[in-house]
Amino acid sequence: MRPRNSAIALAFLLALTATPAAASDGELRVCADPNNLPSSSSAGTGFENRLAAMVAEHLGQKVAYTWWAQRRGFIRNTLKAGRCDVVMGVPADYDLVETTKPYYRSTYVFVTRQDRHLDLASLLDPRLHELAIGVHLIGDDGNNPPPAQALGQQGIVDNVHGYSIYGDYREANPPARLIEAVESGKIDVAAAWGPLAGYFAKGSPVPLTVTPIQDYEGFAPQQFQFAIAMGVRKGDHALRDRLNAFIDTHRSEIASLLRSYGVPLVQQPPTASGGHE
């Protein structure tokens, strides 16, 4: 009996070492990118870091991070692998996770230097055919952000400059290179996701103007505004519901936090019942 029991015990121990650590009731285990401001950083300076701290305090827990570069495979290697339990910011319709209620909605924006007085807002502005435009590029599979797609549909290609959203990960905040190109005058205007653009424009040594992109309706199915939620593992309704309760009772504090980071907030569209999400 003893050899058999020893073998069972050994097999159990091996299984434990091969399995990601189980969640602790005293921890809010967050999956995050250590180099992705304004969302998150290993120094805890992103708005998602601060939001996680708010959630943990509400739940009577402490934040424990699993750091992973937010690129292809991020969810698979973090949330789905059981290393952590919540991603603080995902699109509200993201089908790889179970999402909470949206806690904010933002938009793509144009970023220009104030001293240029370009006052750009519309995707249909004829000056876009002549100005040097910067956009983020996600990959070589055509899955690029809505502004890049919309400009291409108008034949605005030769004067568009692509900046990788991933960039050189050895540098701080790779996506910020696009906004820095506006600062330096390498490009006339950037079309970028609002939270990123607003944050880096706010900290720019050169005054920049951030304007929500308008006249995008004709470029459907491209969307320019997105609701953002928190994401948990599919089926983890208990944590999802606890996070929803936090969102419901802390909406004003969340909005204040986001505004302090320069995040442009837009209103949720009306629901079928005439209310708002």
Side-chain angles (χ1 to χ4, degrees):
M1 291 292 294
R2 292 185 63 183
R4 183 186 174 200
N5 288 341
S6 297
I8 293 173
L10 178 58
F12 179 70
L13 289 172
L14 288 173
L16 285 178
T17 59
T19 303
S24 166
D25 289 341
E27 292 182 337
L28 179 70
R29 302 195 311 161
V30 178
C31 326
D33 189 321
N35 186 22
N36 191 35
L37 287 176
S39 298
S40 60
S41 76
S42 58
T45 53
F47 67 77
E48 289 182 1
N49 298 120
R50 291 185 58 187
L51 181 59
M54 290 168 60
V55 172
E57 182 178 6
H58 173 79
L59 298 178
Q61 298 176 328
K62 293 183 178 180
V63 179
Y65 281 104
T66 291
W67 300 112
W68 201 278
Q70 197 162 340
R71 305 187 180 195
R72 183 172 295 178
F74 173 75
I75 296 295
R76 181 180 70 250
N77 288 296
T78 57
L79 196 65
K80 285 190 173 182
R83 292 185 170 93
C84 41
D85 303 311
V86 59
V87 181
M88 299 307 298
V90 297
D93 59 355
Y94 195 44
D95 60 6
L96 292 182
V97 303
E98 187 100 20
T99 57
T100 65
K101 298 177 179 179
Y103 63 90
Y104 78 97
R105 185 179 182 88
S106 194
T107 181
Y108 277 87
V109 298
F110 284 130
V111 182
T112 59
R113 287 176 58 124
Q114 285 187 17
D115 58 14
R116 294 289 307 280
H117 304 290
L118 292 175
D119 300 319
L120 276 169
S122 173
L123 275 170
L124 304 178
D125 193 311
R127 293 175 295 170
L128 292 176
H129 289 267
E130 305 296 334
L131 294 171
I133 307 168
V135 297
H136 275 132
L137 300 178
I138 297 174
D140 56 6
D141 55 1
N143 186 26
N144 285 318
Q149 301 279 3
L151 292 168
Q153 289 178 39
Q154 298 182 83
I156 303 173
V157 176
D158 292 341
N159 56 320
V160 175
H161 305 266
Y163 290 77
S164 173
I165 192 74
Y166 302 128
D168 185 345
Y169 201 72
R170 295 169 297 182
E171 300 176 357
N173 314 312
R177 304 295 89 79
L178 173 59
I179 310 305
E180 292 168 359
V182 178
E183 293 175 10
S184 66
K186 289 182 180 178
I187 57 175
D188 300 312
V189 54
W193 175 232
L196 184 149
Y199 175 77
F200 288 110
K202 186 175 182 178
S204 170
V206 177
L208 301 178
T209 298
V210 178
T211 307
I213 291 177
Q214 301 175 10
D215 300 323
Y216 53 79
E217 294 83 0
F219 298 96
Q222 298 298 327
Q223 298 182 56
F224 285 75
Q225 297 183 356
F226 292 89
I228 304 300
M230 303 174 200
V232 301
R233 269 184 300 282
K234 284 185 178 292
D236 191 351
H237 298 159
L239 180 55
R240 180 203 61 191
D241 292 346
R242 295 173 79 191
L243 295 172
N244 278 338
F246 167 83
I247 292 168
D248 283 340
T249 56
H250 292 78
R251 286 196 179 275
S252 61
E253 295 95 327
I254 294 171
S256 295
L257 170 64
L258 294 167
R259 291 191 185 100
S260 74
Y261 276 75
V263 175
L265 301 176
V266 296
Q267 190 176 36
Q268 299 282 357
T271 63
S273 61
H276 290 80
E277 292 179 353

